[in-house]
Amino acid sequence: MRIYAVTPIHVGQAELVRRQARYNELSPPELSVDLADIGPDAPRALETAQDVQDSEALVVEALRRAPDGYDALMPDCVLDPGVADLAGKLATPVIGILRISLGWSMLTGRPSAAVARNDAIASEILERVKAYGWFDRFHGVEVLNLEVDSIADTHRWAGALDAAVQRLARVGAADVINGCSAVDLPKDRSQGAVRVVDPTHLALRLLA
Protein backbone atom coordinates (compact mmCIF):
# COMPACT_ATOMS: atom_id res chain seq x y z
CA MET A 1 0.00 0.00 0.00
CA ARG A 2 1.38 3.39 -1.02
CA ILE A 3 0.17 6.55 0.74
CA TYR A 4 0.75 10.12 -0.34
CA ALA A 5 0.79 12.55 2.59
CA VAL A 6 1.11 16.32 2.92
CA THR A 7 2.18 18.36 5.93
CA PRO A 8 -0.39 20.74 7.44
CA ILE A 9 2.24 23.47 7.86
CA HIS A 10 5.21 24.64 5.83
CA VAL A 11 8.29 22.96 7.28
CA GLY A 12 11.98 23.32 6.51
CA GLN A 13 13.97 20.65 4.74
CA ALA A 14 15.41 19.24 7.96
CA GLU A 15 11.96 18.80 9.51
CA LEU A 16 10.58 17.28 6.32
CA VAL A 17 13.43 14.76 6.33
CA ARG A 18 12.79 13.99 10.01
CA ARG A 19 9.09 13.41 9.40
CA GLN A 20 9.76 11.22 6.37
CA ALA A 21 12.26 9.16 8.35
CA ARG A 22 9.62 8.73 11.06
CA TYR A 23 7.16 7.37 8.50
CA ASN A 24 9.84 5.06 7.13
CA GLU A 25 10.51 3.71 10.61
CA LEU A 26 6.86 3.30 11.62
CA SER A 27 5.51 1.85 8.39
CA PRO A 28 5.08 -1.95 8.26
CA PRO A 29 6.88 -3.67 5.36
CA GLU A 30 3.78 -3.81 3.17
CA LEU A 31 3.07 -0.07 3.50
CA SER A 32 4.96 3.09 2.54
CA VAL A 33 4.29 6.81 2.97
CA ASP A 34 5.67 9.54 0.71
CA LEU A 35 5.52 12.89 2.48
CA ALA A 36 5.41 16.27 0.71
CA ASP A 37 5.63 19.74 2.21
CA ILE A 38 2.43 21.72 1.70
CA GLY A 39 4.33 24.78 0.46
CA PRO A 40 5.40 28.28 1.53
CA ASP A 41 1.89 29.76 1.43
CA ALA A 42 0.85 27.65 4.42
CA PRO A 43 1.17 28.66 8.08
CA ARG A 44 4.49 27.81 9.75
CA ALA A 45 2.59 26.67 12.85
CA LEU A 46 -1.00 26.07 13.93
CA GLU A 47 -1.35 28.68 16.65
CA THR A 48 -4.81 30.15 16.02
CA ALA A 49 -8.18 29.09 14.70
CA GLN A 50 -7.38 31.02 11.52
CA ASP A 51 -4.15 29.06 11.07
CA VAL A 52 -6.12 25.83 11.36
CA GLN A 53 -8.69 27.04 8.82
CA ASP A 54 -6.03 28.25 6.36
CA SER A 55 -4.10 25.00 6.72
CA GLU A 56 -7.15 22.88 6.02
CA ALA A 57 -7.98 24.77 2.83
CA LEU A 58 -4.43 24.27 1.55
CA VAL A 59 -4.39 20.59 2.51
CA VAL A 60 -7.62 20.05 0.58
CA GLU A 61 -6.09 21.76 -2.45
CA ALA A 62 -2.88 19.73 -2.18
CA LEU A 63 -4.71 16.42 -1.89
CA ARG A 64 -6.95 17.26 -4.85
CA ARG A 65 -3.85 17.63 -7.04
CA ALA A 66 -1.95 14.68 -5.55
CA PRO A 67 0.10 12.65 -8.04
CA ASP A 68 -1.28 9.43 -9.48
CA GLY A 69 -0.16 5.97 -8.46
CA TYR A 70 -1.10 5.98 -4.78
CA ASP A 71 -3.56 3.76 -2.94
CA ALA A 72 -4.56 6.43 -0.42
CA LEU A 73 -4.09 10.09 0.45
CA MET A 74 -3.50 11.36 3.99
CA PRO A 75 -2.88 14.64 5.80
CA ASP A 76 0.23 14.45 7.98
CA CYS A 77 -1.84 15.83 10.85
CA VAL A 78 -3.89 14.47 13.71
CA LEU A 79 -6.58 17.08 12.97
CA ASP A 80 -7.53 15.20 9.78
CA PRO A 81 -7.79 18.39 7.70
CA GLY A 82 -9.87 17.87 4.60
CA VAL A 83 -10.74 14.25 5.38
CA ALA A 84 -14.45 14.87 5.90
CA ASP A 85 -14.68 17.26 2.95
CA LEU A 86 -12.94 14.92 0.51
CA ALA A 87 -14.44 11.61 1.64
CA GLY A 88 -15.91 9.86 -1.40
CA LYS A 89 -15.14 12.77 -3.72
CA LEU A 90 -11.78 11.68 -5.11
CA ALA A 91 -10.83 8.57 -7.03
CA THR A 92 -8.24 7.80 -4.34
CA PRO A 93 -9.44 7.25 -0.74
CA VAL A 94 -8.58 9.98 1.79
CA ILE A 95 -7.76 8.67 5.26
CA GLY A 96 -7.36 10.42 8.61
CA ILE A 97 -4.91 9.62 11.39
CA LEU A 98 -7.28 10.71 14.16
CA ARG A 99 -10.27 8.95 12.65
CA ILE A 100 -8.41 5.64 12.48
CA SER A 101 -6.53 5.78 15.78
CA LEU A 102 -9.28 7.20 17.99
CA GLY A 103 -11.82 5.07 16.17
CA TRP A 104 -9.89 1.96 17.20
CA SER A 105 -9.98 3.02 20.84
CA MET A 106 -13.70 3.67 20.60
CA LEU A 107 -14.39 0.36 18.86
CA THR A 108 -12.43 -1.54 21.49
CA GLY A 109 -14.35 0.15 24.29
CA ARG A 110 -11.47 2.04 25.91
CA PRO A 111 -12.41 5.42 27.43
CA SER A 112 -10.39 7.92 25.40
CA ALA A 113 -8.98 11.42 25.61
CA ALA A 114 -6.20 13.42 23.97
CA VAL A 115 -3.49 15.98 24.53
CA ALA A 116 -2.72 18.92 22.24
CA ARG A 117 0.10 21.40 21.89
CA ASN A 118 -2.11 24.48 22.29
CA ASP A 119 -5.69 25.69 22.63
CA ALA A 120 -6.34 26.08 18.90
CA ILE A 121 -5.37 22.47 18.20
CA ALA A 122 -7.30 21.23 21.23
CA SER A 123 -10.45 23.00 20.04
CA GLU A 124 -10.12 21.48 16.58
CA ILE A 125 -9.63 17.98 17.99
CA LEU A 126 -12.88 18.40 19.90
CA GLU A 127 -14.65 19.53 16.72
CA ARG A 128 -13.38 16.45 14.86
CA VAL A 129 -14.50 14.17 17.67
CA LYS A 130 -17.96 15.74 17.50
CA ALA A 131 -18.06 15.35 13.71
CA TYR A 132 -17.15 11.67 14.01
CA GLY A 133 -19.95 11.12 16.54
CA TRP A 134 -17.78 10.16 19.51
CA PHE A 135 -18.07 13.24 21.71
CA ASP A 136 -20.34 11.70 24.33
CA ARG A 137 -17.73 8.99 24.98
CA PHE A 138 -14.70 11.28 24.88
CA HIS A 139 -12.97 12.48 28.04
CA GLY A 140 -11.56 15.75 26.73
CA VAL A 141 -8.26 17.29 25.63
CA GLU A 142 -5.47 18.48 27.90
CA VAL A 143 -3.37 21.38 26.56
CA LEU A 144 0.41 21.05 26.86
CA ASN A 145 1.21 24.74 26.18
CA LEU A 146 4.21 24.03 23.96
CA GLU A 147 5.74 25.88 21.00
CA VAL A 148 5.91 24.39 17.51
CA ASP A 149 9.60 23.54 17.82
CA SER A 150 8.75 21.13 20.64
CA ILE A 151 7.30 18.76 18.03
CA ALA A 152 10.84 17.67 17.18
CA ASP A 153 11.98 17.65 20.83
CA THR A 154 11.10 14.22 22.20
CA HIS A 155 12.04 14.79 25.82
CA ARG A 156 10.47 18.23 26.10
CA TRP A 157 7.17 16.96 24.72
CA ALA A 158 7.26 13.85 26.89
CA GLY A 159 7.89 15.92 30.02
CA ALA A 160 4.78 18.02 29.41
CA LEU A 161 2.81 14.93 28.46
CA ASP A 162 3.30 13.10 31.75
CA ALA A 163 1.37 15.58 33.93
CA ALA A 164 -1.42 15.85 31.34
CA VAL A 165 -1.85 12.09 31.22
CA GLN A 166 -2.10 11.95 35.00
CA ARG A 167 -4.90 14.53 34.92
CA LEU A 168 -6.77 12.61 32.21
CA ALA A 169 -6.40 9.37 34.16
CA ARG A 170 -8.23 10.99 37.05
CA VAL A 171 -11.27 11.63 34.83
CA GLY A 172 -11.35 8.04 33.61
CA ALA A 173 -9.32 7.99 30.38
CA ALA A 174 -7.70 4.68 29.46
CA ASP A 175 -6.31 5.70 26.06
CA VAL A 176 -4.75 9.13 25.54
CA ILE A 177 -4.17 10.13 21.93
CA ASN A 178 -0.93 12.10 21.58
CA GLY A 179 -2.34 15.03 19.62
CA CYS A 180 0.38 15.48 17.01
CA SER A 181 1.15 13.15 14.12
CA ALA A 182 4.87 14.04 14.00
CA VAL A 183 6.05 13.60 17.59
CA ASP A 184 8.48 10.83 18.47
CA LEU A 185 7.90 9.53 21.97
CA PRO A 186 9.98 7.19 24.11
CA LYS A 187 8.89 3.63 23.43
CA ASP A 188 6.63 3.24 26.46
CA ARG A 189 4.75 6.24 27.81
CA SER A 190 2.00 4.20 29.47
CA GLN A 191 1.22 5.22 33.05
CA GLY A 192 -0.49 2.53 35.07
CA ALA A 193 -3.75 1.66 33.36
CA VAL A 194 -3.45 4.60 30.93
CA ARG A 195 -2.04 3.94 27.45
CA VAL A 196 -0.51 6.83 25.52
CA VAL A 197 -1.32 6.28 21.85
CA ASP A 198 0.99 7.40 19.05
CA PRO A 199 -1.80 8.01 16.52
CA THR A 200 0.44 7.77 13.46
CA HIS A 201 1.99 4.48 14.52
CA LEU A 202 -1.39 2.95 15.32
CA ALA A 203 -3.02 4.21 12.12
CA LEU A 204 -0.27 2.77 9.93
CA ARG A 205 -0.43 -0.59 11.71
CA LEU A 206 -4.19 -0.78 11.26
CA LEU A 207 -3.98 0.24 7.62
CA ALA A 208 -1.38 -2.46 6.94
Side-chain angles (χ1 to χ4, degrees):
M1 182 180 193
R2 296 183 66 220
I3 300 173
Y4 178 80
V6 294
T7 62
I9 58 174
H10 178 47
V11 299
Q13 183 63 26
E15 176 63 4
L16 185 65
V17 169
R18 185 192 73 83
R19 291 184 181 215
Q20 181 64 69
R22 172 171 158 78
Y23 276 117
N24 294 346
E25 179 181 357
L26 295 181
S27 296
E30 61 271 35
L31 184 151
S32 64
V33 178
D34 293 337
L35 180 64
D37 178 64
I38 195 171
D41 292 335
R44 270 58 173 179
L46 301 181
E47 302 293 352
T48 66
Q50 188 63 54
D51 289 337
V52 172
Q53 182 177 333
D54 292 344
S55 169
E56 180 163 21
L58 289 168
V59 169
V60 168
E61 179 183 335
L63 293 180
R64 285 187 181 277
R65 52 181 171 79
D68 296 331
Y70 288 92
D71 301 299
L73 310 176
M74 184 178 76
D76 171 44
C77 182
V78 78
L79 299 180
D80 291 356
V83 172
D85 290 339
L86 295 175
K89 296 181 180 178
L90 301 181
T92 305
V94 180
I95 55 181
I97 289 171
L98 181 65
R99 193 171 194 173
I100 295 172
S101 59
L102 181 57
W104 179 253
S105 293
M106 293 293 180
L107 286 169
T108 53
R110 293 181 63 83
S112 301
V115 298
R117 186 174 64 80
N118 60 27
D119 288 321
I121 295 170
S123 295
E124 188 65 14
I125 288 176
L126 288 173
E127 289 304 312
R128 297 299 177 186
V129 173
K130 290 176 184 176
Y132 293 151
W134 299 326
F135 190 73
D136 60 343
R137 293 182 286 156
F138 190 66
H139 286 63
V141 183
E142 281 287 325
V143 177
L144 303 181
N145 293 310
L146 293 171
E147 296 78 23
V148 68
D149 59 1
S150 65
I151 292 172
D153 189 335
T154 297
H155 296 292
R156 186 177 171 197
W157 188 285
L161 177 66
D162 289 343
V165 170
Q166 291 173 13
R167 291 192 293 270
L168 289 168
R170 289 195 289 270
V171 299
D175 279 3
V176 174
I177 303 291
N178 190 52
C180 181
S181 64
V183 171
D184 277 321
L185 291 175
K187 295 301 182 185
D188 185 5
R189 299 307 297 178
S190 298
Q191 297 186 17
V194 180
R195 179 174 61 190
V196 178
V197 177
D198 178 334
T200 305
H201 190 194
L202 178 56
L204 295 177
R205 284 170 49 207
L206 294 173
L207 285 167

